[in-house]
Amino acid sequence: MTTILETQGLTKRFGGAQVINGIDFRIDAGEVRCVIGPNGAGKSTFFKLLTGEHQPSSGSVMFLGESLNGVLPHQRIQMGMSIKFQIPGVFPELTAREHLKLALHMGRDDHPNAIRQMLADFRLEGEADVQAAHLSHGKKQWLEIAMAVALKPKLLFLDEPVAGMSAEETHATGELVLSLRERGLTIMVVEHDMTFVKQIASTVTVLHGGRVFAQGSLGDILARDDVADIYLGKQS
Amino acid sequence: MNANTLPSSRVAVSRRGSFVAKSLPWVAAALLPLILDGSTTNNLAYSLIWAFGAMGLAVMWGHAGILSFGQTAFFGLAGYAYGVFTINFGEGWMSTSTGLLIALAVSAVLALALGYVIFYGKVQGVFIGIVTLSTTLVFETFMAQTAGPQWAIGAARLNGYNGMSGMPALSLPWSGGFMAIEGVPFYYLILVLLALVYALTRRLIGSTFGLTLAAIRENPQRAEMLGVDIRRHQLLIFIYGCTLGGLSGCLYTVWGAYITPSSMGLTAAAMPVIYVATAGRKSIGGAIIGTAALVWGSQSLAVYSSEYAMILLGAILLLVVLAAPEGVLPFLAQLLRRIRARRRAAVRAQTQPMPRRSEGN
């Protein structure tokens, strides 16, 4: 199976603090991988190392067989990564339609039909010409995901995609992620919401103390007592 | 109700109405020389000259979020470039039109160099204003000390604070020779150029490039995560906006046949920002009308005292910042829309049939 993303010995230090401590990680094509872990596990820093917001202190990140050392964030996107951020980073004065037009343009397909289709797929038809500042939180999250998908990525990062969503919206987002997997998209999700993780994930990576604590199928991970312990703060 | 839900005949009427409203200022401007005397037309041309730089600033600031205080650096440099070239190569349509192109090229190259330092050096926000303001002040200071005879490029003396003068007007080939474009023809030249630049700028803003700029203005980090090369986009629009500042400077030099370092000074540097802030930085058409009106007004007052004009401009800016931060013209447009909406609502209320007693219960 084709390896989409791979890290080897990835570390990150901020001054004297070692936040990421030698992570070896791999995602293959077509996978939906959830990265979970308690607060302070290093999830956000790991995510930023992959997207290029932070540069590693040592180790490497390979994407589709190419090293990402020194590759700028926008260049990583052009290579085929796509990111949905935790906090919706929409463009307040642009409409939903304009967001998708721009994202589809960056994904090399801004035909009006493609925009209409995306608006329909992400339940944004009714708000197509509404400025993003006036959308509900849930709609902003979907607009974010829609923009990330519109880039036609080879790897889609979703950083806490259901943060702040209602149970109904969370479930709908889960269905959306599953439909994206059916289309063959490789997806990496960083998430706290275990209901959502159970809905979408086949493989889970647990981070703890800046390293991979456990990895395996969702059922195996949920059955491990030591994973439950780190969430309850019993193990450090 | 949005345009999609209107009957097609009403959409067509609405579009026609909008086209007529947009064309009206241009038609009025084209007819003005027929009723104005030559001197007033000449002054009107002067007022419109500043609109190129204002449009450039409106695109950079209002649409791309780059506030530059450096329009005057390009204004002055283009003026000097035109002067140096045409004084050396003489009058005639080839010399003057090449001089104009060279002035624009010099502005663009300076904008490229300065913009590269700014955007690739990660200078952001208010610091862009400081860097661009410093640039124009450096140029002013440098040009002010070029009084000695050693400061000459060929036949063109830079002449220190007194400035350079005596450059020829733009001209057209005419029966084996050339014809200088002055007076009313110069006014029409400005008007045609203005219409062309306006159309080009509108097209630019309406394009995906313009949409990308708006996204960068709204949230640069997010735009970058869509794969947008922010620095390249900012640099390109900076070059465009600054070159329009250069076009203003070149035409100003042609109009008055002189250019001085004070055109790059602190007071001058504040003017484009005041014009654009007052008119409305997000409105390209507003930038033209507002700038022309303010330049015209301040020139009319300057006849009595230049201080009056400065005090008035300062007061207008203060008032606008406090009462209509988006600018006077967008404020007026919004006011007009509200009045129309109220009238429509009132008409609807009058024409709607009264509910029958049985429906009300």
Side-chain angles (χ1 to χ4, degrees), chain A residues 201-214:
Chain A
S202 48
T203 317
V204 175
T205 299
V206 184
L207 291 190
H208 181 51
R211 61 192 172 82
V212 176
F213 181 80

Side-chain angles (χ1 to χ4, degrees), chain A residues 188-221:
Chain A
M188 178 180 144
V189 184
V190 175
E191 187 52 71
H192 278 298
D193 188 322
M194 287 310 289
T195 314
F196 181 69
V197 172
K198 285 173 192 169
Q199 188 185 353
I200 62 162
S202 48
T203 317
V204 175
T205 299
V206 184
L207 291 190
H208 181 51
R211 61 192 172 82
V212 176
F213 181 80
Q215 188 166 293
S217 71
L218 181 66
D220 290 347
I221 292 295

Side-chain angles (χ1 to χ4, degrees), chain B residues 204-218:
Chain B
L204 198 69
I205 290 169
S207 67
T208 314
F209 178 78
L211 184 62
T212 311
L213 286 177
I216 293 171
R217 178 196 71 214
E218 295 282 299

Side-chain angles (χ1 to χ4, degrees), chain A residues 13-157:
Chain A
R13 279 185 294 276
F14 291 107
Q18 181 123 348
V19 181
I20 298 296
N21 194 9
I23 290 183
D24 295 327
F25 179 84
R26 202 179 93 179
I27 298 182
D28 291 330
E31 246 191 275
V32 174
R33 175 73 63 87
C34 277
V35 176
I36 62 171
N39 285 335
K43 297 189 299 293
S44 294
T45 308
F46 179 54
F47 187 80
K48 286 175 181 170
L49 287 169
L50 301 182
T51 58
E53 278 184 82
H54 290 330
Q55 289 300 315
S57 303
S58 64
S60 66
V61 182
M62 306 286 284
F63 180 63
L64 297 170
E66 286 187 49
S67 170
L68 293 182
N69 283 354
V71 177
L72 296 170
H74 77 267
Q75 292 168 330
R76 295 179 190 218
I77 305 299
Q78 288 164 357
M79 287 170 74
M81 283 186 176
S82 183
I83 302 153
K84 181 263 151 207
F85 289 93
Q86 180 184 346
I87 299 164
V90 290
F91 309 113
E93 287 190 18
L94 302 191
T95 64
R97 190 190 302 280
E98 287 172 330
H99 278 77
L100 292 179
K101 185 180 179 190
L102 179 60
L104 284 163
H105 172 74
M106 297 309 295
R108 309 256 184 276
D109 177 16
D110 56 355
H111 192 274
N113 286 343
I115 299 173
R116 269 195 292 276
Q117 189 60 52
M118 292 288 297
L119 286 166
D121 288 350
F122 289 85
R123 306 176 184 193
L124 291 162
E125 278 169 312
E127 292 86 2
D129 296 311
V130 175
Q131 285 185 326
H134 303 298
L135 293 177
S136 69
H137 178 76
K139 294 280 181 182
K140 280 182 191 166
Q141 292 278 41
W142 278 344
L143 182 58
E144 274 275 351
I145 300 173
M147 279 199 291
V149 173
L151 295 176
K152 297 187 175 53
K154 295 184 177 71
L155 174 61
L156 174 64
F157 287 113

